[in-house]
Amino acid sequence: MERRTYCKTDRLPESGDWKREAFRVYSKYCICRIYSAEDSLDEGNEPENFAKIEKIMLPKDYLAYRLSGSFCTEYSDASGMLLLDVEHKCWSAEMLEICGITEAQLPKLYESWEVVGTLKAEIAAELGVSEDVKVIAGAGDNAAAAVGTATVGDGGCNISLGTSGTLFISSKKFGVDKNNALHSFDHADGNYHLMGCMLSAASCNKWWMDEILKTKDYPAEQAGITRLGENHVFYLPYLMGERSPHNDPSARAAFIGMSMDSTREDMTQAVLEGVAFGLRDSLEVARSIGVNPERTKICGGGAKSPLWRKIIANVMNMKVDLIESEEGPGYGAAILAAVGCGVFDSVEEAAKKLVKVTGTEEPDPELVQKYEERYQEFKKLYPALKGFFFKRNKYNLPERRSERRVRETDVEYIARLSFMSYNNDMSVQDKGYVALAKT
């Protein structure tokens, strides 16, 4: 969630063509990022820099540009730009008009496995490889992780327990829930997917262990947890606000229900369970539109914990499959390259042949019932605290840009689309978008 611009969109009308179009096309993904830098909402905008933008691309696509000279992107990553008509797989004329952007500024669209070009002669010479090396379009991080866990085709599911957490469900049909609580994106296999994204997942456990308990021995802290489904302590996992399904940058983490009997183990267990309950929130939205997967793959650093996998299996009431490769996104990118080079005919074929399941955590009916009762209590907590969060943390934004000295390393908000404007010899940035500026 782009919290720095949230306060600006809060001033925009609750209804209007721009918002209706955004909801229709983009399923509320970071809706707060939409506005034209040319609008005079406040003095923080920089129309003179916006006017210099020549080309717009995502960071990974800038790498493809430097390697091959191809000005390109692919559907899975472009789905998050708020400029793509996700359902129809084309740039949205309405959104381009709203944001003051022309299609000539945007890259050519490819499927994730397609070849966008070959190495430029000088790059090949520098690397000591052939100029015939193919450059493949690639994918966004979560779409690549889904390919790397064989979450492709219709009805596949993957849970990623990384710094953030995602529930990713592949589908051959485009669908949007009525409240726009989940992202509906194009998938790297050529189809679509639903995705719920938590801003803090394994990072909650890291914060609790590293910053509060001051320990790196994660297994030892989990060893004393034995009474699953009976913990009286709840944890809301909103350390940095929340995306799915609440879309609330003012939400914050909280422990609730502690007493004199609460133990260190109870608190640690509550953190693990709170993340699982947060993922369950997204699963419930998917179920509300008739999408109900019975099993899921799991990847990410948090997936290494047998206890956490067991908690998730019973909170979600799903079979949880652990896969051989721990590097879902990297493995997925390699699979896409294999398809692009003709080793396999399709992403679905390649993933199903290359991804191996090494074990499955089965839900236990008794634990499922216990966690069902706890989840019903958990889901009442955020609505009860929403007003408090808003009053205490309204936006939690940095001071206005006019009131501080802007460092050169700051990400300039030339537009709500988080463009970054530099000269043509700029280096790759690690977040936001890349904008090549006229010189």
Coordinates of all heavy atoms in Angstrom, one line a residue, residues 338-380:
A338 N 12.8 -22.0 -19.7 CA 12.8 -23.3 -20.4 C 11.7 -23.3 -21.5 O 11.9 -23.9 -22.6 CB 12.7 -24.4 -19.4
V339 N 10.6 -22.8 -21.1 CA 9.5 -22.8 -22.1 C 9.8 -21.9 -23.2 O 9.6 -22.2 -24.4 CB 8.1 -22.4 -21.4 CG1 7.0 -22.2 -22.4 CG2 7.8 -23.3 -20.3
G340 N 10.4 -20.7 -22.9 CA 10.7 -19.8 -24.0 C 11.8 -20.3 -25.0 O 11.8 -20.0 -26.1
C341 N 12.6 -21.2 -24.5 CA 13.7 -21.8 -25.3 C 13.2 -23.1 -26.0 O 14.0 -23.8 -26.7 CB 14.9 -22.1 -24.5 SG 15.8 -20.6 -23.9
G342 N 11.9 -23.4 -25.8 CA 11.4 -24.6 -26.5 C 11.5 -25.9 -25.9 O 11.2 -27.0 -26.5
V343 N 12.0 -26.0 -24.6 CA 12.2 -27.2 -23.9 C 10.9 -27.9 -23.6 O 10.7 -29.1 -23.6 CB 13.1 -27.0 -22.7 CG1 13.3 -28.4 -21.9 CG2 14.4 -26.4 -23.0
F344 N 9.9 -27.0 -23.3 CA 8.5 -27.5 -23.0 C 7.5 -26.7 -23.8 O 7.8 -25.6 -24.2 CB 8.2 -27.3 -21.5 CG 9.1 -28.1 -20.6 CD1 10.2 -27.5 -20.0 CD2 8.8 -29.4 -20.3 CE1 11.0 -28.2 -19.1 CE2 9.7 -30.1 -19.4 CZ 10.8 -29.5 -18.8
D345 N 6.4 -27.3 -24.1 CA 5.4 -26.7 -24.9 C 4.6 -25.6 -24.2 O 4.0 -24.7 -24.8 CB 4.4 -27.7 -25.5 CG 5.1 -28.6 -26.5 OD1 6.1 -28.2 -27.1 OD2 4.7 -29.8 -26.7
S346 N 4.5 -25.7 -22.9 CA 3.7 -24.8 -22.1 C 4.2 -24.6 -20.7 O 4.9 -25.5 -20.2 CB 2.2 -25.2 -22.1 OG 2.1 -26.4 -21.2
V347 N 3.8 -23.6 -20.0 CA 4.2 -23.4 -18.6 C 3.6 -24.4 -17.7 O 4.3 -25.0 -16.8 CB 3.8 -22.0 -18.2 CG1 4.1 -21.8 -16.7 CG2 4.5 -20.9 -19.0
E348 N 2.4 -24.8 -18.0 CA 1.7 -25.8 -17.2 C 2.4 -27.1 -17.3 O 2.6 -27.8 -16.3 CB 0.2 -25.9 -17.6 CG -0.7 -26.7 -16.7 CD -2.1 -26.5 -17.0 OE1 -2.5 -25.7 -17.8 OE2 -2.9 -27.3 -16.4
E349 N 2.8 -27.5 -18.5 CA 3.5 -28.8 -18.7 C 4.8 -28.8 -18.0 O 5.2 -29.7 -17.3 CB 3.7 -29.1 -20.2 CG 4.5 -30.3 -20.5 CD 5.1 -30.3 -21.9 OE1 4.8 -29.4 -22.7 OE2 6.0 -31.2 -22.2
A350 N 5.6 -27.7 -18.1 CA 6.9 -27.6 -17.5 C 6.8 -27.7 -16.0 O 7.5 -28.4 -15.3 CB 7.6 -26.3 -18.0
A351 N 5.9 -26.9 -15.4 CA 5.8 -26.8 -14.0 C 5.4 -28.2 -13.4 O 5.9 -28.6 -12.4 CB 4.8 -25.8 -13.6
K352 N 4.5 -28.9 -14.0 CA 4.0 -30.1 -13.5 C 5.1 -31.2 -13.6 O 5.1 -32.2 -12.8 CB 2.7 -30.6 -14.2 CG 1.5 -29.7 -13.8 CD 0.2 -30.1 -14.3 CE -0.9 -29.3 -13.8 NZ -2.3 -29.7 -14.3
K353 N 6.0 -31.1 -14.6 CA 7.0 -32.1 -14.7 C 8.2 -31.8 -13.8 O 8.9 -32.7 -13.3 CB 7.5 -32.1 -16.1 CG 6.6 -32.8 -17.1 CD 7.1 -32.9 -18.5 CE 6.2 -33.7 -19.4 NZ 6.7 -33.8 -20.8
L354 N 8.5 -30.5 -13.5 CA 9.7 -30.1 -12.8 C 9.5 -29.9 -11.3 O 10.4 -30.0 -10.5 CB 10.2 -28.8 -13.4 CG 10.7 -28.9 -14.8 CD1 11.1 -27.6 -15.4 CD2 11.9 -29.9 -14.9
V355 N 8.3 -29.6 -10.8 CA 8.1 -29.3 -9.4 C 7.7 -30.6 -8.7 O 6.8 -31.3 -9.0 CB 6.9 -28.2 -9.2 CG1 6.6 -28.0 -7.8 CG2 7.3 -26.9 -9.9
K356 N 8.4 -30.9 -7.6 CA 8.3 -32.1 -6.9 C 7.8 -31.8 -5.4 O 8.3 -31.0 -4.7 CB 9.6 -32.9 -6.8 CG 10.3 -33.1 -8.1 CD 9.4 -34.0 -9.0 CE 10.2 -34.2 -10.4 NZ 9.3 -34.9 -11.3
V357 N 6.7 -32.5 -5.0 CA 6.2 -32.4 -3.7 C 7.0 -33.4 -2.8 O 7.1 -34.5 -3.1 CB 4.7 -32.7 -3.6 CG1 4.2 -32.7 -2.2 CG2 3.9 -31.6 -4.4
T358 N 7.5 -32.9 -1.6 CA 8.3 -33.7 -0.7 C 7.5 -34.1 0.5 O 8.0 -35.0 1.3 CB 9.6 -33.0 -0.3 OG1 9.2 -31.8 0.3 CG2 10.4 -32.7 -1.6
G359 N 6.4 -33.5 0.8 CA 5.6 -33.9 2.0 C 4.3 -33.1 2.1 O 4.2 -32.0 1.4
T360 N 3.4 -33.6 2.8 CA 2.1 -32.9 2.9 C 1.6 -32.9 4.4 O 1.7 -33.9 5.1 CB 1.0 -33.7 2.1 OG1 1.4 -33.7 0.7 CG2 -0.3 -33.0 2.2
E361 N 1.2 -31.7 4.8 CA 0.6 -31.5 6.1 C -0.9 -31.7 6.0 O -1.5 -30.9 5.3 CB 1.0 -30.2 6.7 CG 0.6 -30.0 8.1 CD 1.4 -30.8 9.1 OE1 2.6 -30.8 9.0 OE2 0.7 -31.5 10.0
E362 N -1.5 -32.7 6.6 CA -2.9 -32.9 6.6 C -3.6 -32.2 7.7 O -3.2 -32.3 8.9 CB -3.2 -34.4 6.6 CG -2.6 -35.2 5.5 CD -3.5 -35.4 4.3 OE1 -4.6 -34.9 4.4 OE2 -3.0 -36.0 3.3
P363 N -4.8 -31.6 7.5 CA -5.5 -31.0 8.6 C -6.1 -32.0 9.5 O -6.5 -33.1 9.0 CB -6.6 -30.1 7.9 CG -6.7 -30.8 6.5 CD -5.4 -31.3 6.2
D364 N -6.1 -31.7 10.8 CA -6.7 -32.6 11.8 C -8.1 -32.1 12.1 O -8.3 -31.0 12.5 CB -5.8 -32.7 13.0 CG -6.5 -33.5 14.1 OD1 -6.2 -34.7 14.1 OD2 -7.1 -32.9 15.0
P365 N -9.2 -33.0 12.0 CA -10.5 -32.5 12.2 C -10.8 -31.8 13.5 O -11.5 -30.8 13.6 CB -11.4 -33.8 12.0 CG -10.5 -34.7 11.1 CD -9.1 -34.4 11.5
E366 N -10.2 -32.4 14.6 CA -10.4 -31.8 15.9 C -9.7 -30.4 16.0 O -10.3 -29.4 16.5 CB -9.7 -32.7 17.0 CG -10.0 -32.2 18.4 CD -9.4 -33.1 19.4 OE1 -9.0 -34.2 19.1 OE2 -9.4 -32.7 20.6
L367 N -8.5 -30.3 15.4 CA -7.8 -29.0 15.4 C -8.5 -28.0 14.5 O -8.6 -26.8 14.8 CB -6.4 -29.1 14.9 CG -5.3 -29.4 16.0 CD1 -3.9 -29.5 15.4 CD2 -5.4 -28.3 17.1
V368 N -9.0 -28.5 13.4 CA -9.8 -27.6 12.4 C -11.0 -26.9 13.2 O -11.2 -25.7 13.0 CB -10.3 -28.4 11.2 CG1 -11.3 -27.6 10.4 CG2 -9.1 -28.8 10.3
Q369 N -11.7 -27.7 13.9 CA -12.8 -27.2 14.7 C -12.4 -26.2 15.7 O -13.0 -25.1 15.9 CB -13.6 -28.3 15.4 CG -14.8 -27.9 16.1 CD -15.8 -27.1 15.2 OE1 -16.0 -27.5 14.1 NE2 -16.4 -26.0 15.7
K370 N -11.3 -26.4 16.4 CA -10.8 -25.5 17.4 C -10.4 -24.2 16.8 O -10.7 -23.1 17.3 CB -9.6 -26.1 18.2 CG -10.0 -27.2 19.1 CD -8.7 -27.7 19.9 CE -9.1 -28.7 20.9 NZ -7.9 -29.2 21.6
Y371 N -9.7 -24.3 15.6 CA -9.2 -23.1 15.0 C -10.4 -22.3 14.3 O -10.3 -21.1 14.1 CB -8.1 -23.4 14.0 CG -6.8 -23.4 14.6 CD1 -5.9 -24.5 14.6 CD2 -6.3 -22.2 15.2 CE1 -4.7 -24.4 15.2 CE2 -5.0 -22.2 15.8 CZ -4.2 -23.3 15.8 OH -3.0 -23.2 16.4
E372 N -11.4 -23.0 13.9 CA -12.6 -22.4 13.3 C -13.2 -21.5 14.3 O -13.6 -20.3 14.0 CB -13.6 -23.4 12.8 CG -14.9 -22.8 12.2 CD -14.6 -22.0 11.0 OE1 -13.6 -22.3 10.3 OE2 -15.3 -21.0 10.7
E373 N -13.3 -21.9 15.6 CA -13.9 -21.1 16.6 C -13.0 -19.9 16.9 O -13.5 -18.8 17.1 CB -14.1 -21.9 17.9 CG -15.1 -23.1 17.7 CD -15.2 -24.0 18.9 OE1 -14.4 -23.7 19.9 OE2 -15.9 -25.0 18.9
R374 N -11.7 -20.1 16.9 CA -10.8 -19.0 17.2 C -10.8 -18.0 16.0 O -10.7 -16.8 16.2 CB -9.4 -19.5 17.4 CG -9.3 -20.4 18.6 CD -8.2 -20.2 19.5 NE -7.1 -19.3 19.2 CZ -6.9 -18.1 19.8 NH1 -7.7 -17.8 20.8 NH2 -5.9 -17.4 19.4
Y375 N -10.9 -18.5 14.8 CA -10.9 -17.6 13.7 C -12.2 -16.7 13.7 O -12.1 -15.5 13.4 CB -10.9 -18.3 12.3 CG -11.1 -17.4 11.1 CD1 -10.1 -16.5 10.8 CD2 -12.2 -17.5 10.4 CE1 -10.3 -15.6 9.7 CE2 -12.4 -16.6 9.3 CZ -11.5 -15.7 9.0 OH -11.7 -14.8 8.0
Q376 N -13.3 -17.3 14.1 CA -14.5 -16.5 14.2 C -14.4 -15.3 15.2 O -15.0 -14.3 15.0 CB -15.7 -17.4 14.5 CG -16.1 -18.4 13.5 CD -16.4 -17.8 12.1 OE1 -17.0 -16.7 12.0 NE2 -15.9 -18.4 11.0
E377 N -13.6 -15.6 16.2 CA -13.3 -14.5 17.2 C -12.3 -13.5 16.6 O -12.4 -12.3 16.8 CB -12.7 -15.1 18.5 CG -13.7 -16.0 19.2 CD -13.1 -16.6 20.5 OE1 -11.9 -17.1 20.4 OE2 -13.7 -16.6 21.5
F378 N -11.3 -14.0 15.9 CA -10.2 -13.2 15.3 C -10.8 -12.1 14.4 O -10.4 -11.0 14.4 CB -9.2 -14.0 14.6 CG -8.2 -13.2 13.8 CD1 -7.0 -12.7 14.4 CD2 -8.4 -13.0 12.4 CE1 -6.1 -12.0 13.6 CE2 -7.5 -12.3 11.7 CZ -6.4 -11.8 12.3
K379 N -11.7 -12.6 13.5 CA -12.2 -11.7 12.5 C -13.1 -10.5 13.0 O -13.4 -9.6 12.2 CB -12.9 -12.5 11.4 CG -14.3 -13.0 11.7 CD -14.8 -13.8 10.5 CE -16.3 -14.2 10.8 NZ -16.8 -14.9 9.6
K380 N -13.4 -10.6 14.3 CA -14.2 -9.5 14.9 C -13.3 -8.4 15.4 O -13.7 -7.3 15.7 CB -15.0 -10.0 16.0 CG -16.1 -11.0 15.7 CD -16.8 -11.5 16.9 CE -17.8 -12.6 16.5 NZ -18.4 -13.2 17.8

